[in-house]
């Protein structure tokens, strides 16, 4: 009798259960992910290919969901999209989807792209209003058009045509945060903060404790058959100029997948990522032999070296902003890196769903 490893046994059992309709009989994707926590031997993510899922730090629920779907036989692109949908639909995450912080007019505009390794196809939407899950619309762009990127009104009409429900994406909580920004960001307009905070300090303050975000979720996965996929989705820079598009919906910037090499994605200051074709740069660095972590650091060093505007640099010439890259190699190795220390990324591999530390270029001062 041929030998069958414990991992192979679990995979074939899961596949058989999925094929036999057991999923419909009540085995949830989450339960399968939980089973995987005991099923996979250590080392599965460090040289033996998939299944591995990685994400930005806000994606622990996404990695768990995606792993469950892949173990049930689902396509890795469907898996990562279902994973990030959790965060897109979560009103408490102010950097992604529903509940995201709006543009300067108080309107939420979402960006997302998806890429499927085996077919090398991609889809994206930018400045999309009123739809909670732009990543799903991006997937329909991939599947049902001959295009890669739809923006603004055209993207919304396309989503409507495909039956996506329109909702007001601006939650009351996000509206209040925006209003605080609106009332405080200048003392030369006619917007006045509530009486209790009107004093010279507040009005001179460029924002005080107003929340700002470039936050985003990126999620990349590889299944046991070596098929890669990725997604990036965001509400983008808070209080942006209407129509501003960051890196997240730009294939090669916020996401890139090459099934022969690996996948990479980014979060943080999108303009800087676009200017170095970030995710593509990371994947190309892996193609030339760098580890995922080294490839992420290489792209971040490029950002640091190419940032020349004084307003973006501190007194030591370091970027004042942050960018993070996440990378997943075809062999299952993974890594993340940030400009500034103390960042993490989420990973589900080797039977465990957890945060791992990101490498970094510069140590954050202990005061910040
Ligand atoms: N990385 C997200 C953005 O810049 O919009």
């Amino acid at each position: 009798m041929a030998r069958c490893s414990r991992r192979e046994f679990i995979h074939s059992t899961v596949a058989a259960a999925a094929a036999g309709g057991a999923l419909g009989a009540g085995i949830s994707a989450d339960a399968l992910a939980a089973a995987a926590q005991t099923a996979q031997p250590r080392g599965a993510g460090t040289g033996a290919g998939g299944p591995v899922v990685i994400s930005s730090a806000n994606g622990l629920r996404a990695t768990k969901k995606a792993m469950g779907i892949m173990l049930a036989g689902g396509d890795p692109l469907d898996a990562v999209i279902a994973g990030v949908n959790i965060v897109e639909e979560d009103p408490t995450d102010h950097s992604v989807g529903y509940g995201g912080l709006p543009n300067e007019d108080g309107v939420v505009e979402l960006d997302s792209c998806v890429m499927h390794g085996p077919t090398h196809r991609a889809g994206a939407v930018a400045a999309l209003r009123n739809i909670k899950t732009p990543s799903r619309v991006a997937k329909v762009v991939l599947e049902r058009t001959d295009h890669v990127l739809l923006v603004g009104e055209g993207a919304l009409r396309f989503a409507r045509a495909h039956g996506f429900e329109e909702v007001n994406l601006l939650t009351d909580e996000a509206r209040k945060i925006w209003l605080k920004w609106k009332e405080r960001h200048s003392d030369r307009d006619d917007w006045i903060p509530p009486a209790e905070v009107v004093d010279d300090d507040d009005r001179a303050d460029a924002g005080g404790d107003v929340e700002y975000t470039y936050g985003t979720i990126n999620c990349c996965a590889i299944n046991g058959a070596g098929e890669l996929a990725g997604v990036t989705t965001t509400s983008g820079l808070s209080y942006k100029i209407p129509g501003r598009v960051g890196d997240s919906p730009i294939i090669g910037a916020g996401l890139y997948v090459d099934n022969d090499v690996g996948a990479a994605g980014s979060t943080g200051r999108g303009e800087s990522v676009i200017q170095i074709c970030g995710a593509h740069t990371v994947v190309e660095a892996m193609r030339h032999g760098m580890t995922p972590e080294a490839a992420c650091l290489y792209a971040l060093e490029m950002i640091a070296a190419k940032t020349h505007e004084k307003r973006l640099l501190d007194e030591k010439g370091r970027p004042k902003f942050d960018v993070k890259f996440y990378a997943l190699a075809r062999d299952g190795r993974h890594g993340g890196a940030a400009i500034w220390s103390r960042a993490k990324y989420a990973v589900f591999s080797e039977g465990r769903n957890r945060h791992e530390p990101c490498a970094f270029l510069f140590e954050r001062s202990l005061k910040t």
Side-chain angles (χ1 to χ4, degrees):
M1 186 176 142
R3 284 179 62 188
C4 177
S5 72
R6 179 166 158 74
R7 182 171 169 229
E8 285 164 346
F9 171 74
I10 292 287
H11 285 178
S12 56
T13 304
V14 165
L23 280 174
I27 299 177
S28 71
D30 285 353
L32 287 165
Q37 295 198 347
T38 53
Q40 296 175 72
R42 287 192 66 78
T46 54
V52 180
V53 189
I54 65 166
S55 180
S56 40
N58 55 349
L60 262 189
R61 290 173 295 169
T63 48
K64 183 176 175 190
K65 179 83 179 179
M67 181 59 84
I69 290 172
M70 288 201 305
L71 291 177
D75 182 84
L77 184 56
D78 292 330
V80 291
I81 291 173
V84 300
N85 287 164
I86 297 170
V87 182
E88 288 178 325
E89 291 175 336
D90 179 355
T92 67
D93 189 313
H94 295 148
S95 69
V96 179
Y98 177 63
L101 294 180
N103 66 20
E104 66 181 18
D105 292 341
V107 179
V108 180
E109 292 184 335
L110 305 179
D111 299 336
S112 180
C113 72
V114 300
M115 194 156 182
H116 186 236
T119 56
H120 206 68
R121 289 180 70 189
V125 289
L128 176 64
R129 301 179 175 192
N130 299 358
I131 308 290
K132 272 186 177 176
T133 52
S135 61
R136 284 196 210 166
V137 185
K139 185 173 180 233
V140 184
V141 173
L142 177 157
E143 289 171 337
R144 303 284 290 272
T145 76
D146 191 35
H147 307 315
V148 169
L149 173 61
L150 296 180
V151 305
E153 178 62 24
L156 177 57
R157 280 200 222 161
F158 176 79
R160 268 189 211 131
H162 281 277
F164 283 87
E165 184 196 354
E166 282 188 70
V167 292
N168 177 11
L169 298 177
L170 186 67
T171 60
D172 213 39
E173 192 173 286
R175 181 190 60 76
K176 286 178 182 158
I177 296 169
W178 165 79
L179 191 59
K180 199 168 173 184
W181 167 81
K182 184 90 178 155
E183 290 178 338
R184 290 188 187 193
H185 81 282
S186 170
D187 57 1
R188 294 185 175 205
D189 64 18
D190 299 328
W191 291 75
I192 300 175
E196 63 269 23
V197 293
V198 177
D199 61 41
D200 286 348
D201 283 349
D202 277 323
R203 301 221 64 202
D205 194 322
D209 57 355
V210 171
E211 181 180 339
Y212 285 84
T213 180
Y214 276 107
T216 298
I217 182 167
N218 163 253
C219 188
C220 295
I222 184 164
N223 66 11
E227 295 170 329
L228 283 150
V231 58
T232 303
T233 178
T234 189
S235 51
L237 171 65
S238 47
Y239 327 122
K240 58 195 171 187
I241 297 173
R244 177 265 187 189
V245 171
D247 57 328
S248 301
I250 308 296
I251 294 295
L255 177 71
Y256 190 66
V257 180
D258 183 322
N259 217 66
D260 296 330
V261 179
S266 63
T267 60
R269 186 172 188 274
E271 284 72 9
S272 299
V273 176
I274 293 171
Q275 284 164 344
I276 65 138
C277 304
H280 184 263
T281 295
V282 173
V283 171
E284 289 306 302
M286 289 196 289
R287 188 194 305 280
H288 290 100
M290 285 192 191
T291 65
E293 183 179 287
C296 293
L297 284 169
Y298 168 74
L300 292 171
E301 275 163 9
M302 195 177 287
I303 287 177
K306 299 283 181 194
T307 303
H308 302 301
E309 292 156 276
K310 283 203 168 55
R311 68 187 173 84
L312 295 174
L313 299 170
D314 70 9
E315 66 291 348
K316 293 183 179 166
R318 304 171 302 185
K320 280 186 189 166
F321 54 87
D322 207 0
V323 168
K324 301 178 186 87
F325 285 114
Y326 318 94
L328 176 59
R330 187 179 155 70
D331 61 11
R333 288 172 302 154
H334 49 82
I339 293 180
W340 291 98
S341 64
R342 295 193 230 156
K344 294 177 290 190
Y345 69 103
V347 54
F348 198 145
S349 73
E350 304 164 32
R352 289 185 302 128
N353 194 29
R354 78 269 180 194
H355 280 126
E356 292 276 344
C358 286
F360 57 89
L361 294 186
F362 304 115
E363 185 93 46
R364 219 180 261 283
S365 118
L366 285 174
K367 280 185 240 148
T368 56

